[in-house]
Amino acid sequence: MYNGTNPSALRSQQWFSEALFSLMQTKSFSKITIKELCTQADLTRQTFYQLFSSKEDVLRLVLMKYYTAFEQSLLSKEQLDLRALTEVFFHFFKLHKEFVQQLIDHNLDYLLTEQFTMVLPRIMQLCIDDDIGMIENPHINCSIVSGLSAMIIDWLKNDSSTDEKELVRLFLQMFQQ
């Protein structure tokens, strides 16, 4: 996947993202072809393959942008601990629930966890929570990624009426000693 700063390439990535989401509104992700995606984005297959390896890479790019914005939201907190991480996570993904719902609807919710796993170590460097041993313990960090991702997915699949504050409380309850 292209990670440079060329404005034309970045604009093309954005167009591919928009085109893919448009197609996903009416068609199963697995049935969307690269040719259709290129036609929808009004770009060439050559451009697509210069920027991405697969359709999933388009979604990974969008998720990485979301997680970067999530990280920026976290930095605005006065105290960075597990509570702050959890509050920002649930609030952030409540704001972007349409995107997450699309992933779920197309059986692509694994990408949510996959990409969160990639950014969490960087995010955990910002957080300090001595009671839990965050940062030093990759097993705990893995539990945090899996737990938060699974709760967002379950919340959207089954019970999106639950208040985000209640989700935070339930998640933090798992770490109480």
Side-chain angles (χ1 to χ4, degrees):
M1 178 175 2
Y2 177 78
N3 289 313
T5 59
N6 179 296
S8 178
L10 296 175
R11 188 172 44 253
S12 294
Q13 283 181 322
Q14 181 64 35
W15 290 346
F16 279 123
S17 299
E18 292 167 4
L20 182 57
F21 289 116
S22 176
L23 289 168
M24 288 171 68
Q25 297 291 329
T26 59
K27 194 170 188 178
S28 170
F29 180 81
S30 61
K31 303 283 187 205
I32 298 169
T33 66
I34 301 298
K35 182 178 179 180
E36 286 175 299
L37 180 55
C38 293
T39 300
Q40 182 77 18
D42 199 23
L43 295 165
T44 66
R45 287 174 62 93
Q46 178 182 358
T47 301
F48 178 85
Y49 285 111
Q50 287 173 340
L51 301 172
F52 302 105
S53 313
S54 66
K55 296 180 296 184
E56 289 82 0
D57 275 353
V58 177
L59 298 173
R60 286 182 180 100
L61 172 74
V62 173
L63 274 168
M64 289 312 287
K65 287 180 180 180
Y66 281 154
Y67 283 128
T68 299
F70 164 72
E71 188 176 349
Q72 293 304 309
S73 296
L74 192 59
L75 287 171
S76 70
K77 288 289 197 182
E78 221 171 272
Q79 182 177 352
L80 297 176
D81 57 9
L82 185 60
R83 175 172 291 283
L85 173 74
T86 306
E87 288 171 350
V88 172
F89 184 87
F90 285 121
H91 180 71
F92 189 81
F93 281 98
K94 181 180 177 184
L95 294 175
H96 300 288
K97 74 180 195 177
E98 184 179 309
F99 172 75
V100 178
Q101 189 65 58
Q102 282 239 338
L103 293 179
I104 292 167
D105 292 346
H106 292 274
N107 297 315
L108 298 163
D109 43 294
Y110 70 91
L111 292 171
L112 187 71
T113 304
E114 173 191 281
Q115 294 306 111
F116 193 34
T117 301
M118 291 178 65
V119 299
L120 188 69
R122 186 174 71 234
I123 290 171
M124 294 309 257
Q125 293 298 320
L126 305 171
C127 295
I128 299 166
D129 200 325
D130 294 330
D131 292 338
I132 296 175
M134 289 169 33
I135 299 173
E136 298 88 21
N137 194 320
H139 303 298
I140 290 174
N141 293 349
C142 180
S143 296
I144 291 168
V145 167
S146 299
L148 287 173
S149 299
M151 284 183 80
I152 282 291
I153 292 164
D154 184 66
W155 177 70
L156 287 172
K157 279 183 177 178
N158 301 309
D159 183 23
S160 59
S161 65
T162 303
D163 181 75
E164 66 188 85
K165 290 181 188 210
E166 177 64 4
L167 292 173
V168 170
R169 187 192 70 73
L170 291 169
F171 183 79
L172 293 175
Q173 186 177 350
M174 291 189 291
F175 290 95
Q176 291 177 347
Q177 298 173 354

